[in-house]
Amino acid sequence: MSEERICIVGASMAGLFAAWRLAAAGRPVVVYERDGVVDGPRTLIVTAHLRRLWPDFPPQGIRHRITGFDLWAGGVRRILPLREPDWVIERAEVRTILLQLAQAAGAEIRTGWAFAGREGDRLVFRRRDGEEIREEGRVILAADGARSRVLAAFGLPRPPVLLLLQARVRLPRWAHPERAAVWFVPEDTPYFYWLIPESPQTGVLGLATEPGRPIRALLDRFLERLGLEPLAYQGGVAAAYRPDLPWRVARDGHLIFPVGDAGGQVKVTTVGGTVTGLWGGMAAAQALLGQGGGAARRLRAELMAHHLARRILSRFTREDYERLLWGLGRRATQVLGEVPRDAFGAGAWRLLWAQPGLVKYILRGLWR
């Protein structure tokens, strides 16, 4: 099976990252993508932890740098300086870079082909004109998003879905051009609102929430509250990690790796899945190249830490957040600025060591 062609369904960043790694190692790879290689814009913020997965990340992919956060809960504010700046990137731009790298390494990219289902041992892909391709595809990377049709076709669980919506805005005078702002408003969403500067002039204001909530009305009301006018909207869905989601499954003669949103490889504390999605793509590639499962184990441990933290945070009231920010000490603030959000599992212990009193907030969330 070592020389069998690997079929990747979905030219997401996670899928293309895996395709690049596999093709660069000499493995035959084909990527099927339904919609083409150009997708709608979405501004993203990632930690410098990305360098560990992609050491030579191209500088042209970085739009802006964020040196800290302004955290708000009610009238309480806490400034959180970052030891290493976060990066602001544009999803479509990075996806295009990955596409070029995967193609240059030898991966075959087939656009305009949607996964239509299974026919015996073969995968069926269909174009809009009705033409079909049947692919052997015994080794499959499902990189087709939170609503993965590949996982559905094989009877595998799909991750829960969260809604995302953000508006591009002119950066207001009160906003620091290199600090992102976060507002905890649990009566609107168990997650938060954010304002991410993408340049000294513009930024994106958005929120994440669960299906069934009026996300557009919530965002428009918050924009009005801040006196901001939307220039354009960016929306989509994201997966939420769940411990029972598989990362590798043998089913009906196929070996399937769900990666990125399809695998729920998203930090549910922040609904950030860019770095962890690439991490998932790398873990699948390493497993197929016989390089062990260390990356997958570390990723699962990291996502589990965020899952446990989210169970607590989702029970917080506005008053809980106010007390938490108000009581956050200097050492704990320093640790939060030093530990990337993609290394939360290890950093949580440092945080509790710096401020043991934080345990009471954990217990309050668990008992509620």
Side-chain angles (χ1 to χ4, degrees):
M1 188 181 289
S2 62
E3 295 305 317
E4 186 173 357
R5 184 159 75 163
I6 297 165
C7 181
I8 300 178
V9 183
S12 61
M13 285 194 287
L16 290 171
F17 192 69
W20 171 34
R21 290 296 188 101
L22 289 163
R27 295 295 302 272
V29 178
V30 60
V31 179
Y32 285 93
E33 166 58 36
R34 179 188 61 187
D35 296 326
V37 297
V38 178
D39 56 359
R42 186 186 298 172
T43 302
L44 305 171
I45 184 170
V46 299
T47 72
H49 206 69
L50 180 61
R51 283 200 194 97
R52 295 195 178 187
L53 306 174
W54 192 346
D56 53 350
F57 185 87
Q60 67 268 27
I62 304 173
R63 284 197 166 191
H64 197 51
R65 286 176 168 82
I66 300 298
T67 60
F69 284 83
D70 280 350
L71 305 179
W72 289 91
V76 180
R77 176 194 186 197
R78 175 70 64 178
I79 297 176
L80 181 65
L82 297 177
R83 184 179 69 176
E84 228 181 334
D86 280 359
W87 298 345
V88 178
I89 62 174
E90 162 49 51
R91 180 184 61 173
E93 292 175 359
V94 175
R95 189 169 172 237
T96 299
I97 292 169
L98 283 169
L99 174 73
Q100 294 167 352
L101 290 169
Q103 286 180 314
E108 181 183 358
I109 311 294
R110 295 185 173 182
T111 60
W113 292 93
F115 176 73
R118 300 164 56 192
E119 188 175 280
D121 291 336
R122 295 180 179 270
L123 308 179
V124 180
F125 296 90
R126 185 178 298 128
R127 274 196 329 205
R128 289 186 178 179
D129 62 5
E131 185 178 351
E132 293 184 348
I133 290 178
R134 283 158 178 78
E135 179 78 35
E136 186 73 25
R138 289 181 60 199
V139 179
I140 308 166
L141 269 66
D144 55 340
R147 293 171 172 152
S148 171
R149 297 183 69 181
V150 174
L151 299 184
F154 282 91
L156 297 174
R158 293 185 290 182
V161 171
L162 300 173
L163 304 179
L164 303 174
L165 184 64
Q166 57 188 19
R168 291 191 69 243
V169 296
R170 293 183 180 86
L171 211 60
R173 291 184 178 181
W174 48 261
H176 191 291
E178 290 191 352
R179 283 207 304 263
V182 171
W183 292 269
F184 299 104
V185 189
E187 57 267 31
D188 285 359
T189 171
Y191 296 89
F192 47 82
Y193 291 91
W194 62 78
L195 174 61
I196 303 170
E198 59 181 9
S199 76
Q201 293 78 37
T202 60
V204 289
L205 181 82
L207 80 154
T209 194
E210 296 159 342
R213 298 207 182 195
I215 190 168
R216 177 64 182 269
L218 291 170
L219 180 58
D220 286 345
R221 187 174 67 190
F222 202 72
L223 284 163
E224 183 178 1
R225 169 183 157 186
L226 297 179
L228 300 177
E229 291 289 334
L231 304 175
Y233 288 93
Q234 303 171 0
V237 298
Y241 175 74
R242 205 173 59 197
D244 64 331
L245 295 172
W247 89 275
R248 172 177 177 158
V249 180
R251 180 67 58 90
D252 300 337
H254 299 270
L255 183 61
I256 306 163
F257 293 85
V259 298
D261 273 17
Q265 293 162 353
V266 175
K267 304 183 296 290
V268 289
T269 53
T270 63
V271 201
T274 302
V275 174
T276 46
L278 295 179
W279 193 344
M282 181 187 74
Q286 286 184 352
L288 290 169
L289 294 171
Q291 297 173 357
R297 287 191 294 273
R298 290 190 295 273
L299 175 58
R300 288 175 69 87
E302 180 66 18
L303 293 172
M304 177 58 79
H306 287 273
H307 173 74
L308 294 174
R310 170 48 56 194
R311 288 184 62 184
I312 297 167
L313 292 174
S314 291
R315 301 175 183 181
F316 269 32
T317 65
R318 185 192 290 246
E319 291 73 23
D320 290 327
Y321 279 115
E322 289 176 347
R323 285 192 289 265
L324 178 62
L325 294 187
W326 182 263
L328 202 60
R330 181 184 60 81
R331 288 181 59 202
T333 302
Q334 182 179 348
V335 169
L336 284 171
E338 290 175 351
V339 175
R341 296 181 300 283
D342 296 292
F344 174 75
W349 297 110
R350 284 188 59 195
L351 182 62
L352 292 176
W353 182 261
Q355 189 168 336
L358 292 174
V359 172
K360 66 183 179 183
Y361 297 101
I362 296 174
L363 296 176
R364 184 178 293 134
L366 290 173
W367 286 343
R368 183 167 290 142

